[in-house]
Amino acid sequence: MTSIDLNADLGEGFGRWRLTDDEGLLPVVTSANVACGFHAGDPATMRRVCESAAERGVRVGAQVSYRDLAGFGRRAMDVPPGELAAEVAYQIGALEVFARAAGTRVAYVKPHGALYNRVVRDEEQAAAVVDGVVLAGGALPVLGLPGSRVLELAGRAGLPVVTEAFADRAYTDEGTLVPRGQEGAVVADPDAVVERSAGLAVSGAVTALSGARIGVRARSLCVHGDTPGSVELARRVRERLEASGVRVEAFA
C-alpha cells in the first residue's frame, strides 16, 4: 500500500496573536512543523504545541527560518553562512527543550518560507542549513523539495532526506514552487487541492501552472495551517487519501 505523511505548519503565533488552528489540525496531521521563534512562535506556544502533539502521537519537526518576525520569514535575506548555521541549530535546540519536556523529541527539520525556497538552488545557504542541523546533534531528517540542493547536501552529510509536495501551491515546469507574488501561485479551490493531493500521493504527478504534467515524487504532503478553512480542508485531504488506498502515516 502507498503511504504518505501529512504535515502542517503549526505554532505560528506570537503572544496573544495566533494564525494557525493548532488544536484543530493536530488530530488530522501526522507531522507538525513547529515555528521556532524566528518567523513566528514563542516559548509558550512552542511548549503548548509540543505537548498537544505528543499527546496525539504526532511527530514534532523544527520549522527553521530566517530571523524575520515582521515579514513572517517570507522576505529574502542574505545571512552569512556561519551565522545562519548557528541560528538553525539554535532554533532546533530551543524546540528540543519543549519536545523533551512533553515526552517526545524533535524528529526532523524543515526550512520555512524564504529560506525554504532559497535552499532549493543556493548552494551556500543550503550548506549552512545542513551545517546547522549537524551542529544541533543527531542525524535529523531534512524535509524539502525533490531535487533541491539542501536535500542533496543533507544526503552527502549523512542525514536522512524526505521529499515534500504541496497540493495548494502551483508548480513551475521545473518542479519548483511558483513565487507567492505571482498570480496563480496559490491554489484556492478546495476541491482542486483535494484532488491534487490524491494525484500526488497515488501517481506522483501534478499539473504545473503552465498546464504541463510534471513528476513530483514525495514522501510527505504539506497542508498549510494559515489557509482559510485549513482544518476542514486538511480533513477532506486525509479522507480522500485514505479513500484512494493511501496509508497516512508519519515518515519519522
Side-chain angles (χ1 to χ4, degrees):
M1 179 184 288
T2 300
S3 66
I4 198 163
D5 172 62
L6 195 60
N7 77 74
D9 302 344
L10 301 180
E12 291 185 330
F14 196 84
R16 297 179 62 185
W17 170 71
R18 290 192 186 184
L19 178 63
T20 50
D21 185 348
D22 302 328
E23 294 307 313
L25 284 166
L26 278 169
V28 183
V29 301
T30 49
S31 296
N33 317 315
V34 184
C36 298
F38 272 38
H39 75 280
D42 57 34
T45 301
M46 293 161 69
R47 180 181 182 182
R48 173 177 52 79
V49 176
C50 284
E51 290 174 345
S52 295
E55 288 172 3
R56 294 173 171 83
V58 175
R59 301 296 187 270
V60 171
Q63 187 160 43
V64 298
S65 170
Y66 287 127
R67 189 191 294 269
D68 182 27
L69 273 177
F72 196 59
R74 288 181 175 163
R75 297 185 292 191
M77 304 183 77
D78 290 315
V79 181
E83 183 178 333
L84 180 57
E87 291 186 343
V88 166
Y90 177 92
Q91 293 175 76
I92 297 168
L95 186 64
E96 178 70 4
V97 168
F98 298 114
R100 285 191 182 188
T104 186
R105 300 290 298 269
V106 171
Y108 64 95
V109 177
K110 174 184 172 179
H112 165 82
L115 182 58
Y116 186 96
N117 292 316
R118 182 78 171 266
V119 298
V120 171
R121 294 194 174 114
D122 191 310
E123 176 101 11
E124 185 177 69
Q125 295 282 281
V129 169
V130 172
D131 288 346
V133 176
V134 172
L135 180 62
L140 290 175
V142 178
L143 191 58
L145 279 185
S148 61
R149 298 298 292 152
V150 71
L151 292 192
E152 180 182 343
L153 295 176
R156 289 186 194 173
L159 302 176
V161 297
V162 182
T163 53
E164 179 181 36
F166 297 82
D168 61 353
R169 291 295 308 277
Y171 281 82
T172 67
D173 290 357
E174 292 73 37
T176 58
L177 299 180
V178 173
R180 281 184 175 270
Q182 186 174 329
E183 185 176 355
V186 177
V187 180
D189 180 6
D191 292 336
V193 173
V194 171
E195 291 307 310
R196 285 162 67 91
S197 298
L200 283 162
V202 175
S203 65
V206 70
T207 301
L209 188 60
S210 68
R213 289 289 288 177
I214 61 170
V216 181
R217 294 285 176 183
R219 178 65 186 85
S220 186
L221 181 68
C222 179
V223 288
H224 280 104
D226 59 348
T227 302
S230 60
V231 175
E232 179 58 27
L233 180 57
R235 287 191 184 122
R236 288 186 59 195
V237 166
R238 179 157 187 164
E239 289 171 358
R240 181 69 173 84
L241 290 170
E242 292 174 338
S244 301
V246 178
R247 184 172 60 247
V248 180
E249 62 180 4
F251 63 82

